[in-house]
Amino acid sequence: MKVIFSKECLLHDPPFEVLGGQRVPYFEKPERLTIIENELRSNGFEISEELDPDIELKEHILRVHSADYLDYLETAYETWVKQGGNEISVLPEAFPHVNLLKASPNVAQTTNAIARAGVSSLEFTSTVFELFRIPHEGLYCFDLSCPITKDTHKATLASLRVTLTAAKLLSSSALDSIFALCRPPGHHAMPSLCAGYCFLNNIAIAARFIQHTSSPDTTKPKVAILDIDYHHGNGSQAAFYDDPSVLYVSLHGENDYPYFTGFTDEQGSGEGEGYNFNFPLPRGTTGDDEYCETLQRAVAIVQKFEPAFVLVSLGVDTFIDDPISDFKVTTSGYLRIGGIIASIHRPTLFVMEGGYALESIGKNVSNILRGFESK
Ligand code: OKS
Ligand code: ZN
């Protein structure tokens, strides 16, 4: 399997995050990628650092994200520093609650950079915003895991370019699979919100990219997103919630981050009803057998949809020793997981998401890809 990678993805390197009520070293580290890169190289994978320079990122980003959010990501660091913020990172400290917005319609009009980072939760409060005619600006984060450093946006764009280069190669050639080895990850990012280490939703943008760049005389290809990261991809789910041309299927830890989404009764809306499937699995007990059984059911749903392409949100934070997650999948379990995904028999784009057990992350990712290839 061909692997696309870029060293620019390593530039995002915040020193800390706030997790479980504590300041801790940032889990989503650049080393994650270099460890995977090295492991894949020693397993004989072909790794290409040649990115497609012709893809107009902005045009494709705007199919998923809002223009004001993209502008924010581009300028947040500079504005923050100009206003006297520390030079380490932009990190919000205040999130106006929906009830605060109701009581004070001017809350989003602040020009203070600290407030702009946190004035937030547009996705949850957009109706309130419309009701009170609050301008949709400055509303960009819902947790404390997305510090924006000097080079964050550069790394984020590289991450997306890796993904879209891979998507283009897959959709324009006879390849049956390809892996976008990239970070920061994407599946939590919403139209106007960063969260959970994610800034731009790589896989959602890739799905739209494939649909919009496919040959005009064929019908718009159906795309399935299979999300095997430990966490629910709230951003990917939301991007296609009312769209029957993109199926979203996720397996994830029940009652864990991002907490407010990923329930079984989230099945899509309007025309998209019946094209969104969530499989929350119990924390603490879900191991290889339980996981693979549910994955088989998820794969059957994908097969029935008959997608032209399958996009996999590849997280290995389902691993037994992952420091922030609670499943018990083993290194050899990932071989089985790769094999089950291969049984869909469709051109498949793997996009890197989470996974934080540095000692095993390389082997775990490599096993998914090897398991896929050996079927
Ligand atoms: C809390 C965020 C902690 C969990 C982030 C999970 C990131 C991930 N502020 N998503 O797939 O791996
Ligand atoms: Zn995750």
Side-chain angles (χ1 to χ4, degrees):
M1 187 181 311
K2 193 175 173 115
V3 179
I4 310 296
F5 169 71
S6 165
K7 290 196 174 65
E8 281 196 5
C9 291
L10 310 177
L11 290 172
H12 171 63
D13 191 11
F16 69 89
E17 63 184 295
V18 179
L19 192 60
Q22 290 190 81
R23 174 182 163 143
V24 296
Y26 203 62
F27 278 100
E28 203 284 282
K29 293 178 193 311
E31 294 89 301
R32 298 175 58 244
L33 281 207
T34 42
I35 292 168
I36 298 167
E37 184 204 356
N38 290 334
E39 180 68 28
L40 292 180
R41 267 190 215 290
S42 64
N43 279 275
F45 284 86
E46 178 204 343
I47 300 185
S48 165
E49 296 192 39
E50 212 176 292
L51 303 191
D52 191 317
D54 299 329
I55 300 170
E56 289 297 338
L57 295 184
K58 193 165 177 176
E59 170 193 342
H60 300 294
I61 292 169
L62 293 178
R63 298 186 206 288
V64 170
H65 295 279
S66 70
D68 62 293
Y69 175 63
L70 181 57
D71 181 61
Y72 169 73
L73 292 180
E74 279 164 6
T75 59
Y77 181 81
E78 201 183 308
T79 311
W80 171 272
V81 171
K82 215 177 278 166
Q83 290 190 7
N86 75 76
E87 290 181 14
I88 301 170
S89 68
V90 178
L91 198 56
E93 64 182 54
F95 301 88
H97 187 272
V98 57
N99 292 336
L100 181 67
L101 294 173
K102 277 190 214 162
S104 171
N106 290 329
V107 76
Q109 293 187 18
T110 178
T111 52
N112 182 296
I114 297 177
R116 279 176 58 89
V119 175
S120 185
S121 305
L122 174 63
E123 312 310 327
F124 298 118
T125 56
S126 58
T127 44
V128 180
F129 273 59
E130 256 134 53
L131 213 58
F132 293 93
R133 299 171 195 284
I134 298 170
H136 288 200
E137 62 165 8
L139 327 163
Y140 305 122
C141 191
F142 74 73
D143 70 13
L144 293 172
S145 62
C146 282
I148 299 176
T149 68
K150 188 167 183 299
D151 288 328
T152 293
H153 195 52
K154 200 171 180 190
T156 303
L157 292 179
S159 186
L160 179 62
R161 194 174 289 283
V162 166
T163 304
L164 296 188
T165 297
K168 189 171 169 180
L169 281 170
L170 184 78
S171 64
S172 65
S173 71
L175 292 179
D176 55 30
S177 61
I178 193 158
F179 176 39
L181 177 54
C182 58
R183 68 178 282 281
H187 73 155
H188 297 304
M190 308 270 284
S192 309
L193 286 172
C194 53
Y197 313 145
C198 303
F199 299 89
L200 293 175
N201 195 320
N202 297 318
I203 205 161
I205 298 168
R208 288 287 184 234
F209 172 87
I210 287 172
Q211 290 190 321
H212 283 267
T213 55
S214 68
S215 129
D217 36 78
T218 54
T219 51
K220 192 168 78 172
K222 289 193 287 181
V223 176
I225 297 177
L226 176 60
D227 193 328
I228 61 166
D229 185 277
Y230 172 81
H231 302 92
H232 180 243
N234 58 290
S236 308
Q237 168 173 295
F240 308 108
Y241 206 60
D242 55 10
D243 184 345
S245 73
V246 181
L247 174 75
Y248 179 75
V249 184
S250 174
L251 283 70
H252 48 267
E254 187 172 35
N255 197 24
D256 206 332
Y257 185 86
Y259 308 118
F260 310 116
T261 65
F263 297 89
T264 51
D265 62 353
E266 295 159 21
Q267 298 173 0
S269 66
E271 306 218 314
E273 200 174 336
Y275 296 92
N276 195 89
F277 291 85
N278 286 321
F279 292 95
L281 295 167
R283 297 170 61 175
T285 55
T286 299
D288 294 343
D289 290 341
E290 296 81 359
Y291 193 88
C292 287
E293 233 166 79
T294 307
L295 184 60
Q296 294 276 15
R297 289 168 55 206
V299 156
I301 290 166
V302 174
Q303 277 168 325
K304 194 170 156 229
F305 179 66
E306 299 187 337
F309 297 95
V310 175
L311 313 192
V312 178
S313 268
L314 197 178
V316 289
D317 36 13
T318 46
F319 183 52
I320 184 163
D321 290 331
D322 193 89
I324 66 168
S325 310
D326 220 358
F327 280 176
K328 297 165 79 173
V329 174
T330 66
T331 297
S332 67
Y334 289 111
L335 283 170
R336 285 169 66 186
I337 289 171
I340 295 170
I341 295 169
S343 74
I344 303 171
H345 291 296
R346 298 278 160 164
T348 303
L349 165 65
F350 291 91
V351 181
M352 194 64 212
E353 303 279 2
Y356 310 97
L358 295 180
E359 335 69 61
S360 312
I361 189 171
K363 195 83 204 134
N364 292 344
V365 169
S366 151
N367 273 4
I368 291 190
L369 305 181
R370 287 172 53 230
F372 180 94
E373 283 190 318
S374 65
K375 283 288 148 157

